Amino acid sequence: MMYKWNIDIWLKSGVKLECVYTGMETTPQEVLTKTFSGKLLTDLVGFAGRDGTSEIYVLAGEVAAFDIYQ
């Protein structure tokens, strides 16, 4: 079964990105581990845009905060 997770990301600049992650992960902690664990500050992390028509890529080192929820 695939789960759809909303991820709100706030960048250090204050910009908020509204993203979606779909995968087998069943908890927010598993989503965090899958998407950000082990990333270097210069690594790009990609998500689907919440509008369903875009891809959003963020530099791991630019993330100030995020919220993962269904």
Side-chain angles (χ1 to χ4, degrees), residues 9 11-12 35-36 38-45 57-64 66:
I9 299 172
L11 301 179
K12 291 177 180 178
T35 56
F36 284 101
K39 299 290 190 259
L40 300 174
L41 296 178
T42 55
D43 286 346
L44 284 174
V45 181
Y57 296 93
V58 61
L59 235 94
E62 289 300 312
V63 174
F66 48 85

Side-chain angles (χ1 to χ4, degrees), residues 5 14-15 18 24 26-27 29 32-33 36 41 45-48 51 58 60 64 69:
W5 294 92
V15 171
E18 296 181 342
M24 301 293 291
T26 59
T27 66
Q29 293 82 7
L32 171 64
T33 299
F36 284 101
L41 296 178
V45 181
F47 299 98
D51 63 6
V58 61
Y69 59 96

